[in-house]
DNA sequence: GTTAGTTCAGTTGAAAGCAATATTATCGGCTAC
DNA sequence: AGCCGATAATATTGCTTTCAACTGAACTAACGA
């Protein structure tokens, strides 16, 4: 009875207040706003580089660098959309194909990338089975019969080339030379600046006929972005000005990642709404940051292979016993026991040592090699996570390895 | 007090094994001449 | 004959293990003043 009544109250109070959001979608990171602050120059430049398509000429190939959340994809998307709109009136065919090469199982090999491209032309090829040559042939025919300009936007191209080598680009540029009725332009996007250096010189020069760099946003720019978006995302007066500043400042610390800034703001607002406080405050941002952090770490761990999780569990267990500065040996000992109890095969210390350093790189634990003189050399392993996260993690992992709790 | 060795407890790099996947090659069946 | 799809054959990966060289400071012992 009691619960029903409070449920009733909950709903009616929800219905009677306007809430914080007016349009939450604006805060999503894949939303394309009309106005992209502090990227006017880049958009201008992009437009200049790509505009030859409007006269049916081939633009230069282009290479774009920039860290995550610096607006690369956003600007490209915006420019190419407009370009497509305008060109549909000119009679010069234009097709822009955007592909994210990082997406596992979609475009992370030569074959899959080609298959993906082909499917953009409305033709499906089997997942597997055909020789790659056939796909090139197929693609060639499709593009040629389609005619006009084709622009390939390859996002996170570094991931692709790292995996499969640079032949693909070579082949694609070569196709271009044979085509009679169509022209291919390649736009590569990468977030590693150093990446182009270890590329075949021929490909490098043809790929980066033009280069652009998207610098990270600074705190002020981030705040502008946030206030721009929040003007449509929120109802008036529901967000403190200080909140935006704080989100911007936090995200600026992490290489000026606009996505992070938006996430912070969105999550903070969600929290505020859920807590029924009529407005978002700095306090909510704090909680949001912790929550994002927590989610990230839990997500990382969840995606780990079993063995790695087990190592993590070993570290966690020791940590909960109050151990500080654990050594590889101690962790390995416990890991060995846990593996045995859970019926997993035990890896060698060599491997566990690597797993530990992987966990370190991912920022889940802190491990650094220290020499302890006469007492050898080892990694000093620590956990620097909040209690909440630790508790949550051990719960998650504990559920996966039921036998592990015998140790507590 | 200095200097030159030792020693520990792993670290790190290279090479190779192995199982799971991915890519290629091959073959029989089917259609179109 | 030529093409298609399926299946066998082969190559590539991604993890791991094995082997072995390397590390760097605490500890020791010898050294020289």
């Amino acid at each position: 009875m009691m619960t029903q009544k409070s449920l009733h109250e909950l709903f009616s109070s929800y219905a009677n207040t306007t809430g914080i959001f007016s349009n939450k979608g604006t805060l999503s990171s894949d939303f394309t706003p009309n106005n992209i602050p502090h990227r006017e120059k880049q958009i201008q430049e992009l437009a200049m580089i790509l505009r030859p398509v409007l006269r049916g000429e081939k633009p230069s190939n282009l290479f774009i660098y920039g860290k995550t959340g610096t607006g690369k994809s956003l600007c490209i998307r915006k420019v190419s959309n407009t370009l497509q709109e305008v060109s549909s009136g000119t009679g010069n065919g234009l097709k822009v194909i955007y592909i994210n090469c990082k997406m596992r199982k979609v475009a992370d090999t030569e074959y899959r990338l080609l298959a993906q491209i082909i499917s953009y032309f409305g033709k499906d090829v089997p997942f597997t089975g055909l020789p790659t040559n056939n796909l090139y042939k197929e693609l060639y025919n499709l593009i040629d019969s389609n005619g006009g300009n084709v622009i390939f936007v390859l996002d996170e191209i570094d991931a692709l080339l790292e995996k499969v080598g640079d032949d693909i680009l070579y082949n694609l540029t070569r196709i271009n030379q044979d085509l009679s009725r169509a022209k291919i332009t390649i736009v590569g996007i990468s977030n590693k600046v150093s990446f182009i250096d270890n590329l075949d010189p021929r490909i490098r020069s043809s790929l980066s006929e033009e280069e652009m760099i998207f610098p990270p946003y600074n705190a002020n720019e981030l705040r502008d972005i946030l206030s721009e978006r929040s003007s449509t995302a929120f109802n008036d007066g529901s967000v403190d000005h200080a909140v935006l500043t704080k989100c911007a400042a936090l995200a600026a610390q992490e290489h000026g990642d606009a996505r992070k800034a938006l996430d912070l703001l969105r999550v903070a607002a969600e929290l505020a709404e859920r807590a029924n406080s009529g407005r978002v405050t700095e306090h909510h941002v704090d909680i949001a940051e912790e929550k994002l952090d927590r989610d990230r770490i839990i997500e990382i761990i969840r995606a780990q292979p079993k063995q790695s999780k087990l190592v993590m569990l070993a570290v966690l267990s020791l940590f909960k016993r109050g151990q500080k500065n654990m050594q590889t040996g101690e962790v390995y000992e416990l890991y060995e026991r846990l593996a045995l109890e859970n019926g997993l095969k035990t890896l060698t210390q060599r491997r566990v040592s690597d797993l530990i350093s992987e966990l370190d790189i991912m920022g889940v634990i802190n491990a650094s090699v220290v020499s302890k003189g006469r007492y050898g050399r080892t990694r000093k392993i620590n956990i620097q996570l909040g209690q909440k996260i630790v508790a949550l993690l051990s719960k998650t992992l504990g559920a996966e390895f039921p036998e592990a709790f015998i140790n507590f």
Side-chain angles (χ1 to χ4, degrees), chain A residues 283-296:
Chain A
H283 174 63
H284 293 122
V285 180
D286 284 331
I287 307 179
E289 197 201 6
E290 204 210 297
K291 178 172 155 51
L292 281 176
D293 209 41
R294 194 187 329 151
D295 288 354
R296 183 181 62 89

Side-chain angles (χ1 to χ4, degrees), chain A residues 192-206:
Chain A
K192 286 194 202 129
V193 185
S194 61
F195 149 81
I196 197 148
D197 295 334
N198 33 32
L199 218 55
D200 188 316
R202 282 172 309 174
I203 297 169
R204 189 192 316 168
S205 62
S206 79

